[in-house]
Amino acid sequence: MRVLVIGADEITPIKAVLKNLGAKDIEHWDARNENRVNRKPIPSGTDCVVMLTSFLNHNTMKKIKSET
């Protein structure tokens, strides 16, 4: 399973949980720079997108939700 995690600066604890759930490929976008994230498409083959909403601004969240 390929997972994209968006938000937060450090996701080491979350990576461990995702690996236990069967994730083989985990990509992390910290979303600190809104323009950089909003210009990237979700990678093809992504099975799951995890958005850590406490660490995202509204525009980034809307953009990702519109792509899924």
Side-chain angles (χ1 to χ4, degrees):
M1 175 172 44
R2 185 173 189 183
V3 179
L4 172 62
V5 179
I6 303 171
D9 291 326
E10 178 58 45
I11 64 162
T12 302
I14 295 166
K15 277 186 178 182
V17 171
L18 291 171
K19 286 181 181 182
N20 285 337
L21 292 172
K24 301 285 186 220
D25 183 18
I26 302 169
E27 186 169 345
H28 175 228
W29 297 351
D30 65 18
R32 191 165 288 279
N33 184 334
E34 176 185 347
N35 290 328
R36 185 174 54 213
V37 171
N38 287 342
R39 291 187 180 137
K40 285 181 169 180
I42 294 174
S44 63
T46 299
D47 299 305
C48 178
V49 177
V50 177
M51 293 189 294
L52 303 171
T53 57
S54 295
F55 302 96
L56 291 178
N57 63 54
H58 291 282
N59 290 331
T60 299
M61 192 164 44
K62 286 178 188 175
K63 188 260 184 191
I64 299 300
K65 285 173 77 173
S66 72
E67 282 192 34
T68 57

